[in-house]
Amino acid sequence: MADTHSNYVDGEWIEADTGETFEVRNPADTNEVVAHYQGSGPEDAERAIEAAAEAQSEWADTPGPERGRVLTRTAEELEARKEEFTELLIREEGKARGEAAGEVGRAIDIFRYYAAKARDRGGDVKASSSQDTTLYTVDEPVGVVSLVTPWNYPIAIPAWKLAPALATGNTAVLKPASLAPGPARALVEALDEAGVPDGVVNFVTGSGSDVGDPLTTHDAVDAVSFTGSAHVGEQVYEDATAAGKRAQTEMGGKNPTVVTANADVDEAVEIVGGGAFGVTGQACTACSRAIVHESVYDEFVEGIVEYAEGIEVGPGLEGGDMGPQVSEDELETTLDYIEVAEDEGATLAAGGERAADGSLGDGYFVEPTVFTEVEHDMRIAQEEVFGPVLSVIRVDDFEEGVEVANGVQYGLSASVVTRDLGEANRFVDEVEAGMAKVNEKTTGVELHTPFGGFKRSSSETWREQGDAGLDFYTISKTVYMNY
């Protein structure tokens, strides 16, 4: 019998007022119910927000080093239960074991990083133009923050929102995506074990349509941080800012890798393959488009097809290289895009089917898929698929490659594979993306550097991660001290 998990509000694990729950099934084996979670309503969200508001002043007054010690103890709790949380992530979200373990490790590192930052974040001293005057700034917490997180990185993204928020003295309400809420719950459980004061962190599960409005418009909420689809994120941003909230949204991507005429083609295949098919293509930074110079196009296609066909599709708990899609809806969306691409005239070079042999039929598996002879204006080359589907686009020269790379509504991550330093620098200068990479895959980011996109990939307000990740959660006060 699967466990039923509670919300976490004001330091207590409690059931939702609605009395309703929902189930989460293993996407690799839909016969397995992993757990049940609370189907919360607006009243549950409001209770969590009010608890956060009540706790905020005392947490803000807690010295930074002490807040940092709570974050350090949280990292230690996560480390001690890393294998347990890795398996939970695999069972709820479907990642391959190495990917899931790496994500839990990232959450641990994030809490350690911001634990150290809590010690030295305070403000700056400036030179005054007046005599007998000290001029300095003080960084103060924004207040109560609502954090809405997606299913595809179900512990890392909650960590990179929660840790800087708590380090800077804010209190928080966390609402994870309903497809995989367990890893976020595990993170809150670790914070509870680490001694976070009552009300500082609150956790509510349920549908965004049921709890989203209070999280974005309640009078006690000061800021909203959202990661998810562009369609939902744009509505969240509109609602939050209309209600006078500070808002930060990170959304979709249609990320390119440009392969130039002088690229090492074998290296390009590894870079594109890892970016396109890692985490089942379910990453906002996944490589969706390989934009390849005509002189190396055929060689690249041969290599990437071999790469895709060499991936072992299967459950993460059984050692598969690539796990399932997270849900039936995500699987059907991917299969629909594959059909659209074929109808538009793209050539299916690898994959393209649901993987259903043997026990795979009980999960949401799809074959790694490669389309060639893709035209830049096809839907498969313009719209986010969020599955292991790669479009290979032929271009005549470097200039056309950059033009095609920029010719979409998103701008999150982009990479180039080249042995020409001039091309590398031109790409960095000209590409319209929040992250520009040279001879690296589009996925994978350092936790101490800013993360965010251009165009529809982001609200283009505040960045996440690193020192930039602290800025969203603080407001500066300037002090003139005439002595």
Side-chain angles (χ1 to χ4, degrees), residues 128-188:
S128 175
S129 58
S130 302
Q131 291 185 335
D132 302 327
T133 299
T134 302
L135 183 62
Y136 61 96
T137 66
V138 178
D139 291 332
E140 297 193 348
V142 171
V144 175
V145 297
S146 294
L147 310 176
V148 182
T149 59
W151 51 262
N152 62 324
Y153 284 93
I155 194 167
I157 293 178
W160 83 40
K161 292 183 188 292
L162 263 176
L166 300 180
T168 48
N170 299 275
T171 54
V173 180
L174 171 64
K175 194 211 87 67
S178 296
L179 287 173
R185 182 193 181 277
L187 180 57
V188 173

Side-chain angles (χ1 to χ4, degrees), residues 331-397:
L331 173 64
E332 290 301 324
T333 297
T334 296
L335 294 174
D336 286 347
Y337 269 111
I338 290 170
E339 183 177 349
V340 166
E342 291 186 285
D343 289 344
E344 287 185 319
T347 300
L348 180 63
E353 300 288 340
R354 181 171 184 171
D357 291 342
S359 63
L360 296 185
D362 293 327
Y364 303 127
F365 295 96
V366 64
E367 296 172 340
T369 298
V370 177
F371 280 102
T372 61
E373 306 305 331
V374 175
E375 297 296 330
H376 169 56
D377 58 355
M378 290 180 176
R379 286 182 61 193
I380 197 72
Q382 289 288 321
E383 300 175 13
E384 186 176 39
V385 178
F386 226 66
V389 179
L390 176 69
S391 297
V392 187
I393 302 170
R394 187 194 306 264
V395 292
D396 292 334
D397 52 36

